[in-house]
Amino acid sequence: MSSLSLITLGCAKNEVDSAAMRRRLHQAGYSFVEDPAEADVIIVNTCCFIQAATEESIDAILEVADLQHVQDGDAKIVVAGCMPARYGEELNSEFPEASSFVPCSKEDDIVKVVSDLLGEEAPVAESGTYVPQIAYADDIPGEFPSCAYVKISDGCNRMCSYCTIPFIRGRYHSFPYEDIAAEVARCVEAGVKEVTLIAQDTGRWGKDFPERSSLAWLMGSLADEFPETWFRVMYIQPEGITDELLSVMASHDNICSYLDIPLQHVDPQILRNMNRKGSAEEFLQLIDHVRECVPDVTLRTTFIAGFPGETEEAFADLIDFVSEACFDYVGVFPFSPEEGTKAAELPDQLPEDVKVSRAQDVRDVADAVSSSMIAGRIGTVAPVLVLGAEEDGQLYGRTQSQAPEVDGVTFIDGGEPGEIVNAAIIDTMFYEMEAERIEALGDSE
């Protein structure tokens, strides 16, 4: 029987798309191998959000194309995801080694694509042999699959001047609650203890339905339906932070008091040039309001340094804001002029070395603030979801204040993978924390 290999580049949203393709192919009876050199069809799910991601995807495709069995014509390459969606037919001449290109919008057809390439009818899996394939966070082979991503929508309507997502993913569309809940149920059945809800713009969920709904309703409903499961939401634009959402977050112990709010900048003119809204003053007011409504909230944000027209004064204002706002976690990227975006054509483009230097300056300030914020957790007690052990046997997990893959881990002295235990935070090491187990949640005192 033909075997497949699937390589995923990019963010968690791509991981979810890959999981969906894997599920369809597995359900059709195809098997998967980890080593692309042993596969009859190699699927590369690409990312091209910024130039660096595009280059990484190109390198992955070329690396696969150099495999001997591909060179000999004994294996096929399928390029899927963002690159075919963004560049379309241009890729045919750029990558003659690829046998098929599948954009994001056509990934539902992956079984037909693969079977056509192999010149065979898609095999049918035996009844009862299919196990759902979930996009696990902290996905370490052999470890307990405690955390997973679930996508709640696709596309974006914002048209930020620097962003290619609307061209790649199309218009925003929410997924129905029933589909999301069914995916969460599959996760829970597979042993997942934490579900991270993701999308390009999670705060818009439900607003495009004939009967409008909201992210707050979605999260509250999921938290009530799956009371033993942690829920976390990522990528909420400032406009999506509503009092209803904050109330739901504060009233559910199984909704992580965690908000990822990508601000991108704080200078009003820069934000207008980004086709965004806001100012340092408005954002500080929002942050104060969030902390007033959810006192134990953890906050993450993202900034772009070196955007066209960023003056020394605008950059200084960004540095001052990072110092004052006291985010727990900050992601920083130098501006990347993406082909086809308005920002790439704006005047007053900054030299690459200036963009990189400014991004590093923001990181340095943010790291100092974050280290202090995380050190402030020493002496507190928090539930820790145990994820696994390092090679030396050291157990580690995450608290609700640590999102998968981006915020570090908590080292702990006891517990089993998949178990949620109460623990006292006794030390911090930059973004990592050290904790001593008090009890497993649900243990008798």
Side-chain angles (χ1 to χ4, degrees):
M1 179 182 293
S2 299
S3 60
L4 315 177
S5 180
L6 204 162
I7 299 168
T8 304
L9 288 305
C11 66
K13 292 179 283 292
N14 264 19
E15 295 285 354
V16 174
D17 293 343
S18 285
M21 286 192 285
R22 182 186 291 266
R23 180 184 303 142
R24 289 187 176 92
L25 289 161
H26 196 161
Q27 206 162 19
Y30 287 107
S31 60
F32 283 83
V33 294
E34 291 295 327
D35 187 354
E38 299 176 358
D40 300 298
V41 176
I42 305 159
I43 303 168
V44 184
N45 190 9
T46 58
C47 176
C48 60
F49 177 58
I50 58 175
Q51 185 61 33
T54 301
E55 292 171 358
E56 184 181 11
S57 293
I58 290 171
D59 289 344
I61 296 168
L62 295 178
E63 184 176 347
V64 168
D66 282 341
L67 293 173
Q68 190 60 53
H69 69 321
V70 175
Q71 295 275 322
D72 294 340
D74 296 328
K76 307 290 186 181
I77 300 175
V78 175
V79 177
C82 296
M83 283 185 66
R86 181 175 177 185
Y87 296 109
E89 294 182 0
E90 294 179 34
L91 295 185
N92 292 329
S93 58
E94 295 294 330
F95 297 104
E97 305 90 346
S99 299
S100 184
F101 298 94
V102 182
C104 306
S105 60
K106 299 295 184 182
E107 288 175 351
D108 289 358
D109 301 328
I110 191 65
V111 172
K112 185 178 188 308
V113 169
V114 169
S115 60
D116 286 350
L117 285 179
L118 294 171
E120 62 186 26
E121 291 188 12
V124 178
E126 295 180 11
S127 176
T129 62
Y130 171 60
V131 177
Q133 301 295 311
I134 295 168
Y136 293 118
D138 305 307
D139 192 5
I140 303 172
E143 298 290 4
F144 193 91
S146 301
C147 314
Y149 296 111
V150 170
K151 195 158 66 169
I152 64 173
S153 67
D154 207 353
C156 187
N157 293 350
R158 288 189 172 273
M159 301 303 293
C160 297
S161 66
Y162 54 83
C163 185
T164 59
I165 291 298
F167 311 121
I168 296 170
R169 297 281 179 173
R171 301 287 290 176
Y172 187 91
H173 55 282
S174 303
F175 299 159
Y177 176 79
E178 292 76 15
D179 293 351
I180 297 169
E183 187 68 13
V184 171
R186 281 192 286 265
C187 292
V188 172
E189 184 180 359
V192 166
K193 296 298 180 67
E194 177 186 357
V195 171
T196 299
L197 305 178
I198 56 172
Q200 274 72 35
D201 185 358
T202 49
R204 289 182 66 90
W205 184 88
K207 290 181 170 59
D208 54 332
F209 291 153
E211 295 185 8
R212 289 166 64 92
S213 189
S214 68
L215 176 65
W217 180 88
L218 171 67
M219 296 200 70
S221 298
L222 290 172
D224 290 339
E225 186 171 348
F226 303 95
E228 303 303 318
T229 303
W230 286 4
F231 288 94
R232 184 187 305 274
V233 63
M234 305 290 284
Y235 318 127
I236 306 181
Q237 299 295 333
E239 300 89 337
I241 307 298
T242 65
D243 285 347
E244 181 189 12
L245 177 64
L246 297 176
S247 176
V248 167
M249 183 173 290
S251 62
H252 288 78
D253 290 340
N254 63 326
I255 294 180
C256 299
S257 296
Y258 184 107
L259 288 171
D260 173 23
I261 315 170
L263 299 180
Q264 310 304 2
H265 213 282
V266 299
D267 179 79
Q269 185 58 55
I270 294 291
L271 288 166
R272 282 193 291 270
N273 291 343
M274 289 179 168
N275 198 28
R276 296 174 65 87
K277 300 177 182 178
S279 67
E281 293 75 17
E282 292 175 44
F283 292 153
L284 287 173
Q285 290 174 7
L286 173 64
I287 292 166
D288 287 344
H289 182 63
V290 169
R291 287 177 169 147
E292 180 182 348
C293 295
V294 189
D296 62 342
V297 71
T298 298
L299 295 178
R300 163 176 277 277
T301 193
T302 306
F303 295 114
I304 297 173
F307 193 82
E310 184 185 68
T311 63
E312 292 284 355
E313 181 181 2
F315 178 65
D317 288 343
L318 177 59
I319 291 287
D320 290 344
F321 177 86
V322 173
S323 297
E324 185 176 356
C326 294
F327 281 91
D328 298 271
Y329 305 102
V330 177
V332 188
F333 301 92
F335 170 69
S336 176
E338 295 303 309
E339 180 183 356
T341 63
K342 290 183 178 180
E345 305 300 325
L346 287 174
D348 302 321
Q349 300 278 335
L350 300 182
E352 191 65 28
D353 61 334
V354 172
K355 294 187 291 185
V356 171
S357 175
R358 288 187 177 183
Q360 187 59 56
D361 287 346
V362 178
R363 284 192 188 100
D364 290 343
V365 173
D367 285 346
V369 172
S370 296
S371 296
S372 176
M373 294 292 290
I374 294 168
R377 300 173 189 168
I378 295 173
T380 63
V381 174
V384 175
L385 172 56
V386 183
L387 298 173
E390 297 192 322
E391 291 183 0
D392 62 359
Q394 172 65 63
L395 288 169
Y396 65 90
R398 284 187 294 100
T399 67
Q400 291 192 354
S401 66
Q402 296 170 306
E405 302 182 278
V406 293
D407 292 342
V409 298
T410 297
F411 296 104
I412 191 166
D413 61 352
E416 296 294 328
E419 185 181 24
I420 297 175
V421 301
N422 263 335
I425 308 300
I426 61 171
D427 200 2
T428 60
M429 299 156 283
F430 199 32
Y431 287 114
E432 318 290 355
M433 299 193 294
E434 184 178 349
E436 291 181 346
R437 173 177 171 166
I438 297 174
E439 60 177 318
L441 295 189
D443 284 356
S444 59
E445 296 183 357

